[in-house]
């Protein structure tokens, strides 16, 4: 009898530990939902697509949204020196170029539609936080991992050879608590100061990330509990439905609906154009 009781006790303890671990861990989709509550991640017209590649233009849009500069990028005129960028993205990429966040893959090519590597994305984020890259600087563009790990963007100072949109979500979620260079102000603090997000949105976002409420509950509470679709994310309170591409997503929210591209060999992929067969010259800093 004592043996049976010991086994039952052991099983109960294991189940209890598993439940605690499950509650404590945040899944990538929960983090995506948390960013969605803040209006910082909207997905494409097929949902979050966490298992898909992140394109270079999507990365720029996501970055500028994360640092609260999307409105500034889209409301003014910014010189975009690249000839492979579609009109909808010129403001984003032109602004990022002016701010030194991206240099393109050559003097005239941005690399529109190409997959964004982890090194490129981390380099852009670090530049946006005020760090500089190059010999004798804070880091070098093709090896940003030590610095990115030091400030909490990635858990290990090593490359991710298979960088997907889900990996981007993990980095972006961590970015909110990262501080700007030589400052104690976090990205979340700056977003609040710029009135991009509110304390209420942050609290709801944290509850979603922690699994204390689901996305639909958070969005309903954010909209005043009246079930309205008119929320801070452009009427997208139904959420993105994770990787499956829920039916209520804002069409191509990481990029507007595609317009016909100038070249016949361009194909529409998840609401954006993926540029193929570009003759891209070698470039020392393809970021």
């Amino acid at each position: 009898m004592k043996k049976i009781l010991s086994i039952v006790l052991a099983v109960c303890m294991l189940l209890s530990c598993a439940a605690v671990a499950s509650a404590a861990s945040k899944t990538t989709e929960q983090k995506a939902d948390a960013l969605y509550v803040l209006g910082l991640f909207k997905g494409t017209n097929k949902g979050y697509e966490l298992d898909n590649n992140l394109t270079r233009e999507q990365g720029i849009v996501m970055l500028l949204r994360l640092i609260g500069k999307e409105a500034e990028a889209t409301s003014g005129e910014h010189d975009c020196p690249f000839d492979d960028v579609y009109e909808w993205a010129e403001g984003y990429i032109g602004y990022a170029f002016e701010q030194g966040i991206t240099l393109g893959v050559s003097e005239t090519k941005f690399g529109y539609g190409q997959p964004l590597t982890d090194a490129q994305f981390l380099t852009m984020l670090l530049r946006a936080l005020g760090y500089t890259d190059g010999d004798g600087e804070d880091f070098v563009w093709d090896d940003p991992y030590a610095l990115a790990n030091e400030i909490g963007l990635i858990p290990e100072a090593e490359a991710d050879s298979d960088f997907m949109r889900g990996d981007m979500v993990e980095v972006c979620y961590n970015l909110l608590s990262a501080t700007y260079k030589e400052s104690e102000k976090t990205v979340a603090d700056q977003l609040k100061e710029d009135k991009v997000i509110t304390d209420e949105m942050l609290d709801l976002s944290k509850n979603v990330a922690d699994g204390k409420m689901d996305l639909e509950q958070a969005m309903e509470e954010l909209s005043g509990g009246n079930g309205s679709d008119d929320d801070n994310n452009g009427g997208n309170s139904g959420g993105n439905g994770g990787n499956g591409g829920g039916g209520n997503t804002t069409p191509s929210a990481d990029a507007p609906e595609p317009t016909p591209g100038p070249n016949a060999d361009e194909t529409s992929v998840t609401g954006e154009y993926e540029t193929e067969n570009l003759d891209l010259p070698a470039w020392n800093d393809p970021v």
Side-chain angles (χ1 to χ4, degrees):
M1 185 66 179
K2 287 183 179 179
K3 187 175 182 180
I4 294 174
L5 284 174
S6 297
I7 293 172
V8 171
L9 261 173
V11 170
C12 288
M13 288 178 67
L14 285 172
L15 290 173
S16 176
C17 290
V20 170
S22 176
S25 65
K26 300 177 179 67
T27 68
T28 301
E29 190 165 334
Q30 283 173 320
K31 292 176 184 177
D33 284 343
L35 291 171
Y36 183 90
V37 171
L38 296 173
L40 302 178
F41 180 51
K42 302 178 182 179
T44 74
N45 57 354
K46 291 187 177 181
Y48 290 156
E49 297 194 286
L50 300 179
D51 294 327
N52 285 4
N53 285 325
L54 178 72
T55 64
R56 286 177 58 82
E57 66 277 6
Q58 288 174 342
I60 290 291
V61 172
M62 188 68 193
L63 185 156
L64 295 182
R65 189 177 292 151
L66 276 165
I67 62 173
K69 300 300 181 183
E70 182 175 23
E72 191 172 337
T74 56
S75 61
E77 291 187 10
H78 306 285
D79 180 36
C80 182
F82 309 117
D83 60 18
D84 62 338
V85 174
Y86 293 111
E87 185 176 355
W88 75 265
E90 288 180 351
Y92 289 101
I93 295 170
Y95 179 87
F97 177 78
E98 289 175 357
Q99 300 301 313
I101 293 172
T102 183
L103 302 178
V105 297
S106 79
E107 291 183 340
T108 59
K109 303 294 182 186
F110 171 70
Y112 188 102
Q114 293 183 8
L116 186 66
T117 68
D118 63 334
Q120 291 171 350
F121 190 56
L122 290 171
T123 289
M124 292 175 183
L125 292 179
L126 291 171
R127 287 172 178 168
L129 291 174
Y131 295 96
T132 55
D133 54 295
D135 292 338
E137 301 296 335
D138 298 313
F139 70 103
V140 290
W141 77 265
D142 56 350
D143 188 12
Y145 306 111
L147 179 57
N149 171 253
E150 180 183 334
I151 66 172
L153 296 183
I154 54 177
E156 302 290 341
E158 55 188 34
D160 182 352
S161 60
D162 192 26
F163 190 66
M164 299 294 178
R165 288 171 61 90
D167 301 307
M168 175 270 295
V169 164
E170 296 282 343
V171 173
C172 292
Y173 186 83
N174 294 337
L175 179 71
L176 292 175
S177 55
T179 57
Y180 289 87
K181 182 181 179 181
E182 298 178 352
S183 170
E184 295 183 359
K185 182 180 292 184
T186 67
V187 171
D189 291 337
Q190 187 64 55
L191 288 171
K192 286 195 295 180
E193 186 176 307
D194 293 340
K195 302 187 185 308
V196 175
I197 62 176
T198 64
D199 284 324
E200 180 191 12
M201 294 169 74
L202 272 175
D203 289 341
L204 291 170
S205 173
K206 186 176 186 303
N207 285 337
V208 169
D210 290 340
K212 295 178 180 178
M213 66 168 56
D214 61 28
L215 177 61
E216 186 175 356
Q217 290 172 319
M219 297 309 297
E220 183 175 349
E221 189 165 331
L222 194 59
S223 63
N226 57 10
S228 169
D229 284 345
D230 185 15
D231 57 53
N232 287 287
N233 295 305
N236 195 10
S237 65
N240 283 279
N243 286 332
N248 292 328
T249 61
T250 301
S252 194
D254 281 345
E257 289 291 342
T259 53
N263 302 317
D265 60 359
E266 287 157 1
T267 56
S268 178
V269 179
T270 67
E272 304 93 18
Y273 274 95
E274 181 174 332
T275 306
E276 300 173 349
N277 301 325
L278 281 175
D279 182 17
L280 300 176
W283 191 236
N284 291 330
D285 189 2
V287 181

